Amino acid sequence: MTESTMIRVLLVDDQHLVRHGLRFIINAQQDMKVVGEAGSGPEAVRLAAELAPHVVFMDVQMEGGNGLEATQALLEVLPECKVVILTTFDQEDYVYQGIRAGAVGYLLKDAAPEELIDTVRAAYRGEAIYRTAVAAKVIALAVRSAAPSPQGEESIPTPSHSSQNTGEQPEPLTDAYTGRELEVLQQMAYGLRNEEIARKLYIGESTVKTHVHRILQKLQVEDRTQAVVFAIRNGYVK
């Protein structure tokens, strides 16, 4: 594999030892390479503009600035880049703010090397990687809060801009959700399989598959996690 076809990775952490360990693991792979390292948020933004990495591992708490703020600033400069939050802290606020800042993943520093490498490849493919216990809880609670109270299949309109959003209008859905689709999306966030969702909602499994397909189509995403993260990031759930 030539250098031009490798996954380019930028490491952002104020601890040299952490960056050294990550660099060793990543550079041992044939399909990826660390192209730069930064010890602060501002330095990360500058290097991202200069080096155009495909994937960035971003620490949260750094002496040189907040990694969540740096994520948002970096993606304004390089929107096609994929940022993964890499932190010691599995905290709800960090997960939620990371999603809202535009990160595609949340990983703990004690993750196995194999998981770290898999995360690089998944992020490069555009997948969402929120697999910690707290991340799953945040996504589930966020979707649950958006579930409609009335029963039936009434349409859920596209929401107005929330004060918690970053100032940009949410990306439009191709169509409005129905109440049932939000119920299915909620159960997806809990990690339930189609047959489990069918039992939970007292509907047929084929009906669940239809709802899942429509949800992915409306959000223009490829998998379940991307659907939930998209909804949170764009203000469709709070």
Side-chain angles (χ1 to χ4, degrees):
M1 178 173 290
T2 64
E3 185 170 336
S4 62
T5 60
M6 299 176 75
I7 304 173
R8 300 164 58 83
V9 182
L10 174 65
L11 305 177
V12 185
D13 197 293
D14 59 357
Q15 296 184 27
H16 176 76
L17 186 61
V18 172
R19 299 200 309 269
H20 177 78
L22 294 172
R23 182 175 69 248
F24 179 82
I25 295 170
I26 291 171
N27 284 346
Q29 311 305 309
Q30 294 183 346
D31 60 338
M32 61 188 68
K33 177 182 180 180
V34 173
V35 295
E37 299 179 27
S40 69
E43 185 182 8
V45 176
R46 178 181 62 81
L47 284 180
E50 177 183 333
L51 301 173
H54 299 119
V55 177
V56 175
F57 276 118
M58 179 73 72
D59 191 16
V60 175
Q61 293 186 351
M62 295 180 286
E63 292 184 2
N66 184 298
L68 298 171
E69 295 174 356
T71 295
Q72 185 172 347
L74 187 153
L75 291 175
E76 289 175 357
V77 174
L78 198 67
E80 66 273 20
C81 183
K82 310 300 182 183
V83 177
V84 176
I85 301 299
L86 184 64
T87 179
T88 307
F89 307 100
D90 198 12
Q91 296 183 7
E92 294 182 17
D93 191 47
Y94 286 168
V95 175
Y96 185 81
Q97 290 186 45
I99 293 174
R100 298 306 296 269
V104 301
Y106 191 90
L107 192 66
L108 298 182
K109 289 183 180 178
D110 63 358
E114 295 80 8
E115 185 176 5
L116 186 140
I117 294 304
D118 288 345
T119 297
V120 173
R121 295 183 179 124
Y124 178 72
R125 293 193 298 265
E127 299 175 12
I129 313 99
Y130 288 88
R131 296 171 184 162
T132 73
V134 167
K137 178 182 176 182
V138 169
I139 292 173
L141 289 176
V143 174
R144 183 166 59 191
S145 71
S149 53
Q151 294 183 351
E153 290 289 326
E154 69 275 9
S155 178
I156 307 300
T158 299
S160 60
H161 178 60
S162 166
S163 61
Q164 292 181 314
N165 286 348
T166 59
E168 298 178 358
Q169 291 297 325
E171 294 186 33
L173 297 174
T174 57
D175 197 359
Y177 281 116
T178 65
R180 181 63 83 186
E181 285 169 351
L182 274 179
E183 290 178 334
V184 171
L185 181 56
Q186 176 179 333
Q187 300 307 317
M188 288 163 57
Y190 292 148
L192 299 187
R193 299 186 299 273
N194 287 346
E195 59 269 26
E196 295 171 321
I197 296 175
R199 289 196 298 270
K200 184 87 171 179
L201 300 180
Y202 302 102
I203 56 179
E205 186 176 347
S206 61
T207 303
V208 174
K209 291 179 180 179
T210 298
H211 285 311
V212 171
H213 178 71
R214 287 176 179 170
I215 290 168
L216 299 185
Q217 275 193 326
K218 289 178 180 181
L219 288 177
Q220 299 178 7
V221 296
E222 296 180 359
D223 62 43
R224 296 177 177 229
T225 304
Q226 287 185 46
V228 176
V229 170
F230 183 104
I232 295 173
R233 183 178 298 159
N234 289 283
Y236 295 103
V237 295
K238 300 179 180 179

